[in-house]
Each structure stands twice: as C-alpha cells, then as structure tokens.
Amino acid sequence: MINTKKKIITVAVVLAILLISASLGLFREDKGVTSPDIETVNELEGTTLGGVAARMPDNSAKILFESLLGVKLRNYQSYQNTFETLSALRTNEIQAAWFPDVTVRYLLQMEEGFKEIPMPQNEKPRLDFAMALKSDNISLRDEINAAIATLKENGMLEDLQDYYVTNAKSAMKFKPSDMEQISDSNQTIYVGITGAVWPLDLVDIELNPYGFSVALMNEIGKLTHKKVKFVTLKNDTAFSSLMGGKVDLLFCYGTSQSTLSDTKNYIMTDGYYTMNQYSYLVLE
C-alpha cells in the first residue's frame, strides 16, 4: 500500500514537472530550428556562414569572410549547390549565406522568407563574370570575345541581361532545346556550367541549365557558327574538369586583374556581367 502511494506521488511530481516545463517553453517543437533575428553585420559574430562549394577549402573561406565582414565566425560550411545552401539556411544549420550580389537580387525576387544584410557599397566593382578557357585555346577565346563585342554593340547583351537577370521573375525559361540549330558547322563548344551563380547560370532541380547562360551561348553560337552543348559540373571541381579537357570553357567564372596577374594555365574572355560585391542572406 505504501509503495503504491509512493508511485502515485512520483507520477504526480513528474507530470507537474512536465507541465511546468511545457509552460516555460523548454520542450518547444521549433527549438533549434528558428534562426536568430540578424539585422547587421556585427550580429554575425559567433554564427555559422555558408555558401556554395568552390575551389577554396572551408577553413580558408572562413578566414576570407572573417576578414571581409570584420567578425569572428563560429564556423563555415560549404554545400554542393544553391538549393542545398538555401535549405541549410532555412533549417538554421547556418545562420547566414553568402552569394554574389546578382544572386541575392534574384533570390529576393523569387524566394520568400529571406532578407539581405545591409553592407557598405564598394567604390569599385569587385570582379567581372566571364568565361574561362585553357591557356592554349586562344583562338576560341578571341572568337567569343568578338561575339561578345558584337552583342554589346547591337544591344543584345543588355537585352538578355534585362530579361533573364534584372527582371528574372517574369522571364520564361530558355532551355538548350530552344537554341537555334547551327546546321552548317561541324564544330561544337562544350560549355561547363555549375549553377553556382544564379541567375547567370541557372539550373533546375535536375541540374539542367536554362535562362541567361543558354540564351547568351545561343547568340554566341550563331555568331561563331558553332554548335553549343552544355555539361553540368560541380562547382568545386569545375576548374579541374576544364584543365582535364572535359569542357572547352567554364561559362561563369569571376575574374579581376588580381586573379589573372599570376596565372598561366587559363585565360579569360571579356566580361559579360559585373559583380560589385558579395552579399549575405539571412532569414526574415
């Protein structure tokens, strides 16, 4: 009888503790999922930053972004693509994600629940996006440069940027199957694309390219009288694929005078889009 009373009292005490804990929010279902409300760069102190994997290892990326942001990060985590990076941000695996400014502008048009951390504007553009080729492929580089120059002069490049980049929310998809067929050529340009810099090199959930990159290469193919085929690559190994001859060029590659000053194993076309700075997304 005494043991029964003790059991009843013990159960009552446990239930009371559970009720009190629940009322205090100690067992909230969303605990660990809700991201902190970050408004300024300084509030990134002690958080984890993420981004799409590149050639730079995570520990080096952590050092780079700590110097750019002026804060001490807890960690840096890279992901295979933009889809995975956004998913990590939504689930609070990371508290902020970096992208080129053009990507952030696009994501704010297309995705809900994100906001951009205000950053001081750079006085000069950080880099141009262009196409990378092996250093011995000068003739193809020169042909593409001539095509880009023509597209700048006739206004087509600006039109493509307006339609597929600036006003991307209203743009229709343009897929490789929509490209004009070059029937009088036996030459093909194999274009490596990663989907790392939306909307310049957009890929769908199945990693098929569409949008600006396809539309621009369609125009370049017509001007150079070459067929164009896209090869989807992982961003962190894309450069190795170029050097290994898997593709003739990488469509979206950032370049500046500093990046080209000490290199001899690859060359760049003229730029087709200017990036002013890195930008950072957090949850609203």
Side-chain angles (χ1 to χ4, degrees), residues 244-275:
K246 185 174 182 178
V247 294
D248 296 312
L249 61 86
L250 298 180
F251 177 79
C252 199
Y253 208 78
T255 181
S256 63
Q257 288 302 315
S258 62
T259 61
L260 289 175
S261 60
D262 59 353
T263 183
K264 297 180 180 179
N265 60 351
Y266 75 99
I267 54 179
M268 300 293 301
T269 68
D270 294 336
Y272 56 75
Y273 196 90
T274 298
M275 183 190 100

Side-chain angles (χ1 to χ4, degrees), residues 87-151:
S87 177
L89 183 56
R90 287 189 174 103
T91 58
N92 198 32
E93 185 173 314
I94 57 177
Q95 288 72 58
W98 77 269
F99 298 98
D101 52 9
V102 62
T103 303
V104 166
R105 289 193 294 268
Y106 173 78
L107 290 173
L108 291 176
Q109 286 187 62
M110 304 298 291
E111 302 284 339
E112 295 182 352
F114 299 112
K115 64 184 178 183
E116 182 180 0
I117 299 177
M119 295 289 294
Q121 295 296 310
N122 290 338
E123 294 183 1
K124 296 181 179 179
R126 189 171 187 89
L127 54 83
D128 281 335
F129 284 112
M131 304 176 203
L133 304 89
K134 291 178 68 174
S135 58
D136 59 358
N137 211 350
I138 295 175
S139 60
L140 179 58
R141 189 273 312 272
D142 292 345
E143 288 184 79
I144 292 175
N145 277 348
I148 290 174
T150 297
L151 295 174

Side-chain angles (χ1 to χ4, degrees), residues 19-185:
L19 288 171
I20 294 171
S21 299
S23 67
L24 294 176
L26 298 180
F27 293 96
R28 287 172 54 197
E29 292 182 359
D30 63 347
K31 187 177 180 182
V33 175
T34 302
S35 177
D37 185 16
I38 298 173
E39 299 287 346
T40 66
V41 171
N42 292 337
E43 293 175 87
L44 293 176
E45 182 80 27
T47 64
T48 297
L49 178 69
V52 178
R55 294 172 63 195
M56 183 182 298
D58 285 3
N59 58 345
S60 299
K62 180 175 181 289
I63 294 171
L64 169 65
F65 284 103
E66 284 179 335
S67 66
L68 292 175
L69 295 167
V71 299
K72 184 70 175 178
L73 297 170
R74 180 177 62 203
N75 197 12
Y76 180 89
Q77 180 66 49
S78 63
Y79 299 90
Q80 279 301 317
N81 52 55
T82 303
F83 296 110
E84 291 184 10
T85 305
L86 294 178
S87 177
L89 183 56
R90 287 189 174 103
T91 58
N92 198 32
E93 185 173 314
I94 57 177
Q95 288 72 58
W98 77 269
F99 298 98
D101 52 9
V102 62
T103 303
V104 166
R105 289 193 294 268
Y106 173 78
L107 290 173
L108 291 176
Q109 286 187 62
M110 304 298 291
E111 302 284 339
E112 295 182 352
F114 299 112
K115 64 184 178 183
E116 182 180 0
I117 299 177
M119 295 289 294
Q121 295 296 310
N122 290 338
E123 294 183 1
K124 296 181 179 179
R126 189 171 187 89
L127 54 83
D128 281 335
F129 284 112
M131 304 176 203
L133 304 89
K134 291 178 68 174
S135 58
D136 59 358
N137 211 350
I138 295 175
S139 60
L140 179 58
R141 189 273 312 272
D142 292 345
E143 288 184 79
I144 292 175
N145 277 348
I148 290 174
T150 297
L151 295 174
K152 288 179 178 178
E153 290 171 4
N154 64 21
M156 176 61 74
L157 179 60
E158 184 177 355
D159 289 344
L160 293 176
Q161 290 174 347
D162 287 344
Y163 190 72
Y164 290 102
V165 180
T166 305
N167 302 308
K169 190 170 184 177
S170 60
M172 297 287 288
K173 287 187 176 182
F174 192 92
K175 306 180 295 296
S177 59
D178 299 321
M179 298 177 71
E180 184 172 325
Q181 300 301 311
I182 310 297
S183 58
D184 60 343
S185 174

Side-chain angles (χ1 to χ4, degrees), residues 192-245:
I193 195 161
T194 66
V197 186
W198 293 5
L200 300 183
D201 63 341
L202 275 169
V203 295
D204 61 23
I205 195 66
E206 296 178 348
L207 304 183
N208 298 310
Y210 70 94
F212 176 77
S213 62
V214 183
L216 178 56
M217 289 308 304
N218 180 57
E219 297 299 326
I220 290 175
K222 290 190 292 184
L223 291 169
T224 59
H225 299 286
K226 289 179 171 61
K227 299 175 183 177
V228 175
K229 289 191 176 180
F230 288 92
V231 180
T232 305
L233 306 170
K234 292 183 178 180
N235 194 51
D236 54 347
T237 57
F239 191 79
S240 298
S241 296
L242 174 67
M243 293 295 103

